[in-house]
Amino acid sequence: VQLQAFGGGLVQAGGSLRLSCTVSGRAFFSSYNMGWFRQPPGKEREFVAAISWSGKSEDYADSVKGRFIISRNNAKNTVYVQMNSLKPEDTAIYYCAADRRTAIIHTISFRTVDYDYWGQGTLVTVSS
């Protein structure tokens, strides 16, 4: 299973970006919960948002709630995160990840350890 994230870049504070992550390989995309995580410079990786395999359930970190929206298109094997009202503290490498284990039990995880597959990351830089 391969995950490819793209859409990062440089944006001014208050601006928007949409990240995309496409999943390929021997996987049924629609059976995985998908998550976005980020790693700010010098800090540990942290949860951003997650969406259930069906797209019916979502979860967000408090720091992005109301500004970021996660969505998925199972026909295109792609998950998105729309990032609005960006702040300099949103600067990070953003990673997408796939989680099968919690999908099976119909819940969503915010823990990195629960995600089986990871993309390579895409850099988002928000200037003040």
Side-chain angles (χ1 to χ4, degrees):
V1 177
Q2 293 84 41
L3 284 70
Q4 178 75 34
F6 49 94
L10 175 64
V11 62
Q12 288 189 332
S16 297
L17 277 177
R18 188 176 82 155
L19 305 183
S20 302
C21 173
T22 301
V23 178
S24 60
R26 299 181 62 183
F28 294 101
F29 177 74
S30 60
S31 65
Y32 286 81
N33 290 344
M34 297 298 298
W36 286 97
F37 293 77
R38 67 186 182 187
Q39 188 163 12
K43 297 184 179 181
E44 293 186 353
R45 195 170 299 189
E46 62 186 26
F47 172 73
V48 174
I51 188 167
S52 64
W53 61 271
S54 65
K56 294 181 179 180
S57 298
E58 302 165 15
D59 192 19
Y60 296 91
D62 288 343
S63 59
V64 306
K65 201 169 293 184
R67 300 188 297 123
F68 290 14
I69 301 172
I70 189 171
S71 61
R72 65 189 294 160
N73 185 328
N74 285 348
K76 295 185 177 181
N77 287 6
T78 302
V79 62
Y80 309 93
V81 61
Q82 177 67 42
M83 306 186 296
N84 302 318
S85 303
L86 283 162
K87 305 175 181 180
E89 51 263 44
D90 293 318
T91 294
I93 299 174
Y94 282 73
Y95 299 89
C96 59
D99 168 20
R100 175 63 178 149
R101 284 174 286 180
T102 57
I104 293 174
I105 59 174
H106 302 290
T107 188
I108 300 176
S109 174
F110 59 86
R111 306 189 310 165
T112 57
V113 295
D114 287 326
Y115 286 78
D116 307 297
Y117 303 101
W118 293 81
Q120 84 290 357
T122 184
L123 177 63
V124 172
T125 303
V126 184
S127 63
S128 58

